[in-house]
Amino acid sequence: MRSPSSKAALLAGLSLLALTGAARAEDSKDAPTESVVIVRAHRLDAARAAIQPDIGASSVSLPKELIASLPGGDNVGLNQVILQAPGVTQDSYGQLHIRGDHNGVQYRLNGVILPEGLSNFGQVLSPRFASNVQMITGALPAQYGLRTAAVINMSTLSGAKPGGEVSVYGGSHGQYQTGVTYGGTSGSNTAFGSLSYQQSQLGIESPYNTDTPPHDRTAQLIGFGYFDHIIDDTSRVSLIAGVSDQSFQLPNTPGLNSVDDGAGYRVNGVDRVFSENLNSRQKETTDYAIVSYLKTSDHATGQISLFARQSQLTYTPDWDGELAFNGIAQGADKQDAAAGIQAEGSWSITPSHTLRGGVIVSIDRSTSKTVSHVFDLDMNGDQTSDVPVVINDSGRQNSTTLSAYVQDEWAILPEFTLNYGLRYDKLKSYRTEDQWSPRINFVWTPLKGTTVHGGYARYFTPPPYELIASQTQSLFAGTSFDISGTNDLPYAQRDNYYDLGLEQVVTPNLTLGVDAYHRVARYLLDEGQFGAPIILTPFNYKYGRNSGVEFTANYQNGPFTAYANLAFSRAQGRDIVSSQFNFDPADQAYVVNHFIFVDHDQRTSASTGMTWRIGKTRLSMDAIYGSGLRTDGAVPNGGRLPAYVQVNAGVSHEFAHGIEARLDIVNLFDRAYEIRDGGGIGVGAPQWGPRRGVFVGLSKDF
């Protein structure tokens, strides 16, 4: 793998090369004017968006202006932005659960799928280079599949608006962040580049209630580049490239020792190891690229895209310390590379019928290497020596997915539109599975300002292939990490999904909405942390069900903008039928005949925010509420953690010459709350939300 500095140089060079000659273009008599280029770009953007409508689905847009106005602005992670949308629940390690699903999120850049990678702690994408972040949920039209809890489509900045910004930001928890963006046009070419670097002493949520835990440093580099060439008024070719290089320490809980609080193994002559001395680390890197060609006419539009992604996750344990506490220390090196093609198009057959279709093919190759230190045990379960045994294990696997769909948008009446279609997905991986999936959606506007939408979707969701455990169980028999037991490979999840929603414009300033959904699942997918490395592993409940209702409100009156979301959800599963060896036999026996709440079930979630501009000063606030994730109680996952509220506030002021200063306070009231307590099926260590943090920033446009 290339070093962070070389990756940054490569990306910066790509963007700067695309921008070379912008100044000379002004003197070229044959070069299109900047305004002509922008008009062409907007027309082609609209044509691209028309290929993938969200008819009948639930859609929320978070434009750049809204992101910039909230506390932290685009200095926060993308997950913190999405957390402001309805029905989104936060979890440890930066995970999000949308409508009671575990992950299940598909990310797209300008409508093109970005394949999943090996990332657990880090954020591959940044709001810094987003012009709009759209979240689509509900009964999705046929063009969306494989990951169906939500589609996050990020429309990226393109450089059509020339100029850039340099910024610095930092404060509590040793956080320091710097970033630069720049874009511009040259003739028929447009380019944009973004590069940011962040370091902090709070890289992962603290495992106990503290402001800044020991051994929790992180360094994160994110780069992005966009280039497009407008061939003529009807066609364009574009390139997207990005890098992410991030390293994390795993935070320690001081005051514990391996004898009183762990497995208590003797390691290389040492009887007791103290937790504050542990030194475990994880590194995550991702590179991706997308090349697209778009062609449009008065009645038809098509786009073909080639995409590729490579990621690597490396876990380096504290060898002796983890052995003493857990009976295993395991170093892991996982790599995954994916490439594919996405070809889609739309055709306006008649004024009332628009036909759309597409084919998506993706090929994935994953390799896994682990080095494990364990102890041999005798018949009584006692270690035979304090010198560990080294076990090497490696594996590789290929995976192929094929998806095809066709659908018709039928404007039956001016106020009623029906969108119906059929999708086919086939997976060839650890298992070979396929499914035909009908979809039907409608949008009805019976009155001015009233919009009703709804639909039904059949879903096919493969398990995250790159996360499936590939360890050879027999290698660990008779050791301190004996993982013998049933280990059926995960299945693809199959859903029947129903959604119905209403949006009402009450006044020109106020819009209210309500949306209800119900899902019945077979082989419900979930994920848990099993084993030593902090890598999630998928498993299935044979039966699953979840339902919920969401309420939204949006208000805007001149310089004042506010929103509020409230969601109720219930998610349950029964009978664990894959990766069974990871679970306690008593829990498995209970779950066979009883529906239990999944560990990420949160009955009530809410978010709210407001922005008020007074001249060149902007005041902002946002907040999240959660009724608490699950933990063990009288039955597995039968308990619930306490409810919490986190309020963030910010103020910014624009000075002359494009200078802006901002002050942000995270967790304004310093409310300590626990996201996880380490209890529950598939749950690892405890995590706490951030304590109060004060941050300042300065940016300059150029």
Side-chain angles (χ1 to χ4, degrees):
M1 300 296 293
R2 299 185 297 272
S3 66
S5 59
S6 63
K7 288 184 178 181
L10 177 63
L11 186 64
L14 175 67
S15 299
L16 291 175
L17 180 62
L19 291 171
T20 300
R24 294 195 302 269
E26 296 181 1
D27 298 326
S28 173
K29 295 181 180 180
D30 299 325
T33 65
E34 180 180 294
S35 60
V36 172
V37 173
I38 293 176
V39 169
R40 288 177 175 175
H42 286 330
R43 180 175 184 271
L44 294 172
D45 287 344
R48 179 186 65 201
I51 299 176
Q52 301 172 342
D54 54 12
I55 299 171
S58 301
S59 179
V60 177
S61 289
L62 304 169
K64 184 174 181 62
E65 294 76 15
L66 174 63
I67 296 172
S69 68
L70 294 176
D74 57 12
N75 297 290
V76 303
L78 181 61
N79 62 329
Q80 296 298 313
V81 173
I82 299 172
L83 198 57
Q84 297 301 314
V88 183
T89 300
Q90 73 167 338
D91 201 344
S92 54
Y93 306 143
Q95 297 177 82
L96 297 176
H97 306 296
I98 300 176
R99 290 195 165 188
D101 214 324
H102 192 292
N103 291 337
V105 178
Q106 181 180 100
Y107 290 90
R108 295 189 173 209
L109 293 175
N110 296 335
V112 181
I113 292 175
L114 180 63
E116 298 174 37
L118 292 163
S119 177
N120 197 42
F121 302 140
Q123 300 283 310
V124 174
L125 303 177
S126 168
R128 189 179 298 274
F129 48 82
S131 64
N132 184 68
V133 177
Q134 181 187 26
M135 186 180 82
I136 309 170
T137 60
L140 302 175
Q143 71 264 24
Y144 300 116
L146 303 181
R147 294 289 172 261
T148 54
V151 176
I152 306 298
N153 182 33
M154 178 186 289
S155 299
T156 68
L157 295 170
S158 65
K161 181 180 179 181
E165 179 187 85
V166 60
S167 64
V168 292
Y169 188 78
S172 301
H173 317 302
Q175 180 173 326
Y176 169 76
Q177 182 174 341
T178 183
V180 60
T181 61
Y182 187 74
T185 62
S186 175
S188 296
N189 302 318
T190 304
F192 173 82
S194 171
L195 190 64
S196 65
Y197 172 79
Q198 175 183 334
Q199 62 183 32
S200 173
Q201 296 178 21
L202 186 61
I204 304 172
E205 293 93 346
S206 174
Y208 67 105
N209 184 13
T210 185
D211 178 78
T212 304
H215 197 264
D216 198 11
R217 291 182 178 274
T218 182
Q220 304 177 25
L221 173 73
I222 299 178
F224 173 83
Y226 175 90
F227 169 79
D228 73 41
H229 172 68
I230 297 177
I231 301 172
D232 53 40
D233 288 345
T234 64
S235 58
R236 174 176 66 189
V237 62
S238 62
L239 167 67
I240 291 174
V243 297
S244 170
D245 195 308
Q246 306 179 350
S247 60
F248 300 88
Q249 294 178 326
L250 269 65
N252 301 333
T253 302
L256 307 178
N257 67 81
S258 58
V259 175
D260 298 327
D261 305 287
Y265 289 100
R266 179 182 173 87
V267 184
N268 294 321
V270 177
D271 292 316
R272 190 185 302 261
V273 173
F274 296 93
S275 59
E276 52 263 36
N277 297 324
L278 296 179
N279 183 26
S280 304
R281 302 176 303 280
Q282 188 155 302
K283 183 176 177 63
E284 303 172 1
T285 59
T286 298
D287 308 296
Y288 60 88
I290 299 171
V291 178
S292 300
Y293 172 72
L294 175 72
K295 179 68 175 179
T296 186
S297 66
D298 291 339
H299 300 287
T301 299
Q303 179 170 280
I304 183 169
S305 302
L306 302 176
F307 55 81
R309 186 266 308 140
Q310 177 175 310
S311 62
Q312 181 175 9
L313 185 151
T314 304
Y315 177 76
T316 305
D318 185 299
W319 294 101
D320 288 356
E322 293 191 26
L323 263 173
F325 272 93
N326 306 319
I328 179 173
Q330 187 175 82
D333 185 356
K334 288 179 170 284
Q335 299 186 46
D336 189 83
I341 184 171
Q342 178 176 335
E344 299 176 299
S346 67
W347 177 29
S348 297
I349 304 175
T350 69
S352 60
H353 285 275
T354 300
L355 187 68
R356 296 181 175 90
V359 176
I360 305 169
V361 180
S362 178
I363 300 173
D364 213 307
R365 180 176 178 82
S366 178
T367 61
S368 175
K369 298 178 181 179
T370 61
V371 178
S372 303
H373 289 189
V374 294
F375 294 111
D376 281 328
L377 305 182
D378 60 23
M379 297 295 292
N380 298 319
D382 298 321
Q383 63 184 114
T384 60
S385 171
D386 63 359
V387 178
V389 177
V390 179
I391 297 177
N392 292 289
D393 193 11
S394 62
R396 60 183 60 197
Q397 178 73 27
N398 294 333
S399 176
T400 303
T401 58
L402 166 65
S403 302
Y405 71 90
V406 62
Q407 61 186 343
D408 176 33
E409 178 188 338
W410 180 15
I412 300 176
L413 298 170
E415 65 274 5
F416 190 88
T417 299
L418 189 69
N419 190 63
Y420 57 95
L422 184 66
R423 181 183 177 95
Y424 175 74
D425 294 292
K426 182 173 183 179
L427 168 70
K428 185 177 181 182
S429 182
Y430 289 93
R431 294 182 181 274
T432 298
E433 303 178 88
D434 67 342
Q435 179 176 288
W436 291 94
S437 302
R439 309 282 180 88
I440 185 167
N441 308 79
F442 72 88
V443 177
W444 179 36
T445 54
L447 302 170
K448 183 179 180 180
T450 302
T451 302
V452 181
H453 74 268
Y456 162 80
R458 178 73 171 155
Y459 287 149
F460 176 83
T461 305
Y465 150 83
E466 69 281 358
L467 298 180
I468 295 177
S470 58
Q471 291 183 151
T472 307
Q473 290 176 273
S474 60
L475 293 177
F476 297 91
T479 72
S480 52
F481 189 61
D482 192 326
I483 53 176
S484 58
T486 306
N487 185 27
D488 292 325
L489 293 170
Y491 300 85
Q493 177 177 316
R494 303 168 188 268
D495 299 320
N496 289 305
Y497 196 105
Y498 309 86
D499 183 271
L500 181 64
L502 168 69
E503 184 177 85
Q504 178 66 54
V505 178
V506 180
T507 72
N509 306 109
L510 176 64
T511 301
L512 301 178
V514 60
D515 203 299
Y517 60 91
H518 177 67
R519 178 180 69 178
V520 179
R522 189 73 179 267
Y523 298 116
L524 175 70
L525 279 167
D526 202 347
E527 296 176 12
Q529 181 196 327
F530 308 114
I534 311 300
I535 301 171
L536 298 179
T537 301
F539 65 94
N540 298 93
Y541 293 94
K542 189 173 183 179
Y543 306 102
R545 61 192 184 193
N546 78 299
S547 57
V549 60
E550 300 167 354
F551 300 92
T552 61
N554 294 277
Y555 180 83
Q556 183 169 5
N557 187 1
F560 183 80
T561 301
Y563 64 88
N565 306 302
L566 176 64
F568 301 97
S569 175
R570 180 186 180 95
Q572 296 179 303
R574 177 165 73 85
D575 193 5
I576 298 171
V577 292
S578 63
S579 306
Q580 298 96 324
F581 73 93
N582 291 300
F583 302 94
D584 179 84
D587 288 346
Q588 290 189 63
Y590 181 86
V591 177
V592 167
N593 298 310
H594 299 84
F595 272 97
I596 65 169
F597 291 102
V598 296
D599 69 282
H600 55 270
D601 172 80
Q602 181 166 271
R603 301 300 298 275
T604 307
S605 303
S607 61
T608 185
M610 73 88 182
T611 302
W612 186 21
R613 180 177 287 276
I614 307 172
K616 295 187 176 182
T617 300
R618 182 173 57 202
L619 305 175
S620 62
M621 179 279 293
D622 65 34
I624 57 172
Y625 165 83
S627 60
L629 297 175
R630 289 287 165 174
T631 185
D632 279 335
V635 300
N637 293 347
R640 191 181 69 184
L641 294 175
Y644 64 87
V645 176
Q646 179 181 315
V647 178
N648 310 314
V651 58
S652 63
H653 184 80
E654 297 176 5
F655 296 91
H657 310 295
I659 297 175
E660 181 178 84
R662 66 184 308 142
L663 169 67
D664 299 310
I665 304 177
V666 173
N667 199 348
L668 177 65
F669 302 110
D670 200 25
R671 297 289 298 272
Y673 64 93
E674 199 168 17
I675 301 174
R676 291 288 193 183
D677 70 351
I681 288 183
V683 179
Q687 285 89 29
W688 288 72
R691 298 296 297 272
R692 181 190 291 135
V694 180
F695 305 91
V696 295
L698 190 66
S699 62
K700 171 70 168 69
D701 294 337
F702 61 92

